[in-house]
Amino acid sequence: MTSSADLAGDFLAYSLAGARPATPAAARGVGAHGLRWQWLDDGILLLEPANVTPATRSVLLSAGIHGDETAPIEMLSRLVADLAAGRAALACRVLVVLGNLDAMRAAKRYLDDDLNRLFGAHAQRATRAPGRETPRAAVLEAAAERFFAAASGAAASGAGAPLTRWHLDLHTAIRASAFEQFALLPHTSNPGEHANGNAPARAIFDWLADARIAAVLIHTEPGVTYSAFTADRCGALACTLELGKVRPFGQNDLARFASADAALRRLVAGEVASPGASESSPMPRVFTVIGQITKQSDAFALNVAADVPNFTPFARGTVLAEDGAYRYVVQHEEERIVFPNPGVKPGLRAGLLVVETTRETLAALR
Ligand SMILES: [Zn+2]
């Protein structure tokens, strides 16, 4: 019922319909300028330029890890159509991943478990649950590992290799934020990623500036997100992007995403972002995680408004949370709260605290 043209021409509709290629031949196609595409699994599509060289970047672009975060899903589907039709240029291997298709069909963030808490060894120990998202996490992990294993320079470990491997995981946030669009950089123990004393790579900051991302949050502990997995396991320059507010399919103002969309298209076209802080695209401000609020029991009280925007600053001495004998008191001159959520189960994180580290982080970029 669905032709192969629809597959690349409207990858979102094809995937939401649960369509699958009828034959192995129907899973592959050739687009404009010799572009080759290959359907690999539900919501997973490989795109390669006609010529792949050792310098060719491999870029994993994922969206819909949370099913109701529709704008970036639509953005990626349009990018696939434009690449296949030659309306956008392709100079990279690109793996497009639409994450939680079941949740997208239900217009929900997730069905049983938050998919973006189920990735990697840390999740397998701590939080991997037997719900409907668990097998999908395994599929997406395997897809990323296969994609990056076949990447140029796969045999080369060490300096240089990580720069050819990128993963941008696109989200939209539920709550308001002092910075409407921001990025989360995972902590990683990958030695290639940390060649310069844990300093993040300048390349990703240049790209974030090009995308007009206002702020970057740097995690300091292992994560259970898709980008944490690809950074740690695949040596990718990886980040999670929060690109604005959640809305239903068709109700997104994609103009708000124009800067990120344009930067994404420049990345896959092989254009290099202009380095450093220019007047037109200043470097993002940087915040580093320095602590978290942990819910101890059902007596937990978070002393901030339920709808407090992400990155809201609090002064030293502010008691942000109380729970029996436990108190979280702001220790730094200023700390900002991110992802506050008093509704989590006891024992889990009810909010992250960050401090600004813009000057030292940007000075140390490798
Ligand atoms: Zn999300």
Side-chain angles (χ1 to χ4, degrees), residues 65-66 69 109 116 170-173 242:
I65 296 294
H66 293 135
E69 298 177 1
R109 183 175 174 85
N116 218 22
L170 312 178
H171 291 246
T172 52
E242 299 284 358

Side-chain angles (χ1 to χ4, degrees), residues 29-38 46-52 90:
V30 177
H33 312 302
L35 169 152
R36 290 164 286 141
W37 55 259
Q38 184 181 358
L46 175 67
L47 300 156
E48 293 185 298
N51 296 307
V52 174
L90 182 69

